[in-house]
Structures are given as C-alpha cells and as structure tokens.
Amino acid sequence: MSEKKDKSTTKKTPVYGILAEYSDPAVLIEACKKVRDAGFKKWDTYTPFPVHGIDPAMGIKPTILPWLVLCAGLTGLTTAILLQWWTNAHDYAWIVSGKPFWSIPANVPIMFELTVLLSALTTLGGMLALNKLPHPSHPLDLKERFERVTDDKFFLLIEASDPKYDADEVTALLAEHADVVEPLMDDDQTPAELPRGIIYGLVILTAAAIVPFALAAHARESHNRSPRIHIVPDMDFQTKYKAQRVNTFFDDRRADRPFVEGTVAQGNLQEDDHFYRGKSGNTWATTFPNQLQVSEATMKRGEQRFDIFCAPCHGLQGRGDGMVNKRAELIGAGVDGWVPPSDVTDPNLMKQPVGQLFNSITHGVRNMPAYGPQIDVEDRWAIILYVRALQRTRNATTKDLSPSEIASLK
C-alpha cells in the first residue's frame, strides 16, 4: 500500500513522539521489554488483537478499579439495607398479619439491584476516568500507516513528554526490532474547542431535561380546581356508574339497585334452616345436618380449612395462641382494646350446640369477622366437626382408644 502524504508533517508542528511499526507480535513483546527496562513511563502499544504476555512485558500493574467497584457495591448494598429498614421497620412500620417488620429475604431484590447498579456505574465511570477518556482526537488519527493497526500491524509509541525522552536514543532503541521508526507530529488540525453546534445542542438538551421536573414540581405544590392532565387514562375513566353515585335514570336516583323483594336466585332458596343457619326450629341445632357425611375425609377437610382460616388467631391446637395473638401481645396491643381469640377447647364452647358454632363462624362474634362469605356451608360444618375433635382430645380417656392403641401405649 502506498503511503499517502502525511498531513501531520506538512507543517512545522511539535513532535508528539516516536512511533515504531512491527509485523510480528513476538517482536513487539521483545521491544516492550527493552522499553520497560529503559525506564520509560509515557508509552503504549497498539495491536489488532489482544497479545498474550504483553501486560508483563510492558510492566502493567493491577489498577485500583476493582477496589473502587468493590466499595461501590458495598455502598449500594448498605444503602439498600438501611433504606428499606428505615422506611419499613422504623419510620413507617406497617403491621401485616403479625409478620415481622424486617426480614432479609423480602429485601433481597432491592439489595441486589442497588449493589449491581452502583457497581456497574462505577466500573464504567472508573474505566473512563483512569484511561482519561473520552479522547476526541489523537495525533495517531492523522497517521495513515496507523490504519493497519486494525489489520496486521503492531505499533509502539513513546511520547515526547516522557522525562527520559531523547529523540536519537529513542529512535535507536526502537530501531533494533521495528520495521519502520519515524516521528509522530502533534495534531495541529483538530480544533481545540468543541464545534458551536454541539455546544448549543448540549445547552438545549440540558434546558429541555429540566422542563419535566419543573412541571412535576409545579403540579405537586400548586392547587387547581380543574383535574390535572391524565396522559394515560388506563381504566380510570369509564362510562359506568360507580357505587354510591347518583343515577338519574331511576326515580330514586340511586346507582346501586336493591334486591327485588321476594326474589331468590335460582338454586339459592336455602330452605333448610338446619344446614344453612344451624337452627332446629327456634333453637340451635345440636346435631350435624344430614347433608354432612361424618367421615375421615370430612375430618381431614375440616382440619385443612381450620388451619387456613382459624389457626392464624386460634392456633393449630385451637388454644387461642395463633401467630396473630402472639404478635398482638408482643407489641402490647392489649392496651388498645385487643381481645384475645377464644380457646375452642374451653368448657363453655364445648357446651355450645353445633348450630351456635355454625352461626358464630357465619356471622362472626366479638372482633372475629364473619367468614360466611369466604367459607362454603359444607366447609363450615367440616370445621365444626374438626373443632369437636379438638375438644374431645382435652377429655379423652382410654375408652376412646382401641385395644391395639391401648397396647401400643404400654
């Protein structure tokens, strides 16, 4: 390839350094060792691909960047932990079914994200700062022979600003192995200042970036009787009547329509008071309804439903020591009117008819909410069957055991 006339040598410009060109990476490594041993500080190599062994040949030592990334990661991790602890467990503690205010597993996602975010930003920023980047122009950009650095040539440049720089000695040192050694003139063609178009563009972008924040701050602090601009309406505005709103279509102007008196949905007549209301005439039923099959499967079903709906307050054994009550006692909720859950094995409850227990589950009692809308009728009776079994365990005798079970106790 013919060498074009080098633009950097057409003017009397200062020398930037001495550039040597090589065809073999092994030769480049030998040249690097000599430059390193000679004590030069401001020099570098340029290769079309990573060359194994060139780092020790150049005397490159590990940088401080890994330590900066480690510190940034630990800072992100610490910030995430303190932020979540402060907001969730200290400044605005929120009670959720007796769950602890602070636990590591629930906060791992934010801890991971903030650790990775600060580590990544520090890696990028540290790399740019330590390498003094970005570098918009360089004298090598004007060297036409240097274009082959991305193809098949290897280069070594010693800068003239190096304290040990002497043009004749450097040329002689590099000429021992290089194919070509020549001076590299400084860049006198690239303007020292950024183009005005770029400067104006940056100013406009910076000013435009402030506008959204200014609008948000104004909307937050100002008062207006008109609704704010709703850019993404989603399902906030719909052509429907909401609960407790006025509807002029009806004479009573009520959007909520009451049930039509005397009507019952098909299949929901519920005439059987024993099964649906736990009543036998005017008194509470003392027996289970015929629709409930008293079996091992029903008992298992009742135990499962009890563990889901009842155990959080009454405890797995029904003693009134569920995790909600334990949490209430721990935070001193009793002084604020907390009523402990009942012990379902208490003698008073053991005397209550099954129909009365069914009514308590259906409509609630004291601070216990109504579970009728949440638990099917069959499951409510299955829970009562399991409660009766729990009560029986408090007063069981050997007469309740089979001969084989009695023998196993001996």
Side-chain angles (χ1 to χ4, degrees):
M1 182 180 70
S2 61
E3 184 83 12
K4 295 180 180 178
K5 188 177 181 180
D6 195 343
K7 297 178 181 178
S8 64
T9 59
T10 57
K11 298 181 180 178
K12 293 182 178 180
T13 55
V15 175
Y16 184 80
I18 302 297
L19 181 66
E21 178 182 325
Y22 304 86
S23 300
D24 191 335
V27 179
L28 174 66
I29 291 178
E30 292 301 322
C32 289
K33 292 179 180 178
K34 290 196 173 184
V35 174
R36 177 199 63 192
D37 296 340
F40 287 96
K41 302 297 182 184
K42 294 186 177 181
W43 63 286
D44 206 348
T45 58
Y46 308 88
T47 63
F49 51 82
V51 177
H52 180 69
I54 200 168
D55 286 359
M58 296 178 64
I60 296 177
K61 299 178 181 178
T63 68
I64 195 176
L65 183 59
W67 292 103
L68 295 177
V69 175
L70 175 62
C71 293
L74 293 176
T75 302
L77 178 63
T78 305
T79 303
I81 293 174
L82 293 178
L83 174 65
Q84 294 180 99
W85 170 82
W86 175 265
T87 55
N88 297 332
H90 181 76
D91 187 51
Y92 198 78
W94 185 260
I95 302 174
V96 181
S97 301
K99 295 179 181 178
F101 293 127
W102 169 255
S103 64
I104 292 295
N107 298 280
V108 165
I110 301 300
M111 294 159 58
F112 171 79
E113 294 290 347
L114 206 54
T115 301
V116 172
L117 177 63
L118 292 192
S119 299
L121 293 178
T122 302
T123 301
L124 177 61
M127 183 275 294
L128 294 175
L130 294 176
N131 289 289
K132 300 179 181 179
L133 296 176
H135 202 160
S137 65
H138 194 278
L140 286 171
D141 298 337
L142 304 176
K143 199 68 175 178
E144 188 171 347
R145 296 183 62 86
F146 190 72
E147 294 177 356
R148 297 184 65 177
V149 73
T150 60
D151 187 6
D152 59 349
K153 293 298 182 180
F154 306 82
F155 292 87
L156 190 156
L157 172 65
I158 298 179
E159 298 180 14
S161 57
D162 191 287
K164 292 181 64 65
Y165 179 82
D166 181 89
D168 295 335
E169 294 180 0
V170 170
T171 302
L173 177 65
L174 298 179
E176 293 182 24
H177 301 88
D179 300 333
V180 178
V181 177
E182 57 184 356
L184 176 66
M185 310 310 292
D186 205 351
D187 182 6
D188 61 346
Q189 301 182 24
T190 304
E193 299 179 352
L194 286 175
R196 290 187 176 275
I198 296 179
I199 296 176
Y200 293 151
L202 291 175
V203 171
I204 294 173
L205 288 177
T206 302
I210 299 175
V211 172
F213 295 99
L215 292 175
H218 174 72
R220 184 177 179 82
E221 299 300 330
S222 63
H223 299 278
N224 197 327
R225 299 183 63 86
S226 301
R228 290 170 177 166
I229 299 175
H230 213 106
I231 300 176
V232 183
D234 294 326
M235 299 179 65
D236 296 341
F237 305 106
Q238 302 178 48
T239 55
K240 68 175 184 181
Y241 288 99
K242 296 183 179 180
Q244 310 299 327
R245 301 298 174 86
V246 175
N247 185 346
T248 57
F249 179 79
F250 299 102
D251 293 337
D252 58 4
R253 299 169 59 85
R254 295 166 56 183
D256 289 346
R257 304 312 306 157
F259 292 111
V260 179
E261 186 176 358
T263 59
V264 177
Q266 189 173 9
N268 291 333
L269 186 56
Q270 301 181 357
E271 289 183 301
D272 190 341
D273 284 343
H274 189 177
F275 183 63
Y276 290 105
R277 284 169 280 279
K279 300 293 290 289
S280 177
N282 294 326
T283 60
W284 298 117
T286 57
T287 60
F288 288 97
N290 296 329
Q291 291 88 336
L292 183 73
Q293 183 178 5
V294 180
S295 62
E296 186 69 21
T298 305
M299 185 69 74
K300 289 290 185 184
R301 177 69 177 178
E303 180 183 7
Q304 182 196 48
R305 298 292 97 179
F306 182 90
D307 291 347
I308 294 174
F309 294 102
C310 311
C313 291
H314 292 283
L316 294 174
Q317 301 300 320
R319 305 296 177 83
D321 56 353
M323 62 179 181
V324 173
N325 186 55
K326 291 180 178 178
R327 183 63 182 168
E329 293 177 348
L330 180 64
I331 62 176
V335 297
D336 296 329
W338 169 255
V339 179
S342 300
D343 180 354
V344 300
T345 63
D346 185 84
N348 291 329
L349 291 180
M350 294 174 63
K351 295 176 182 177
Q352 285 189 7
V354 293
Q356 187 176 358
L357 296 176
F358 180 87
N359 182 74
S360 297
I361 296 176
T362 303
H363 300 291
V365 58
R366 297 193 300 277
N367 58 341
M368 171 180 159
Y371 282 90
Q374 304 181 47
I375 309 176
D376 294 339
V377 176
E378 293 82 356
D379 286 341
R380 277 177 260 165
W381 283 112
I383 290 175
I384 296 171
L385 182 64
Y386 180 68
V387 168
R388 284 301 195 213
L390 289 176
Q391 295 171 344
R392 187 69 175 273
T393 59
R394 298 292 298 273
N395 301 285
T397 65
T398 54
K399 295 180 180 179
D400 298 311
L401 303 176
S402 64
S404 60
E405 291 173 333
I406 295 175
S408 65
L409 298 176
K410 296 180 180 178

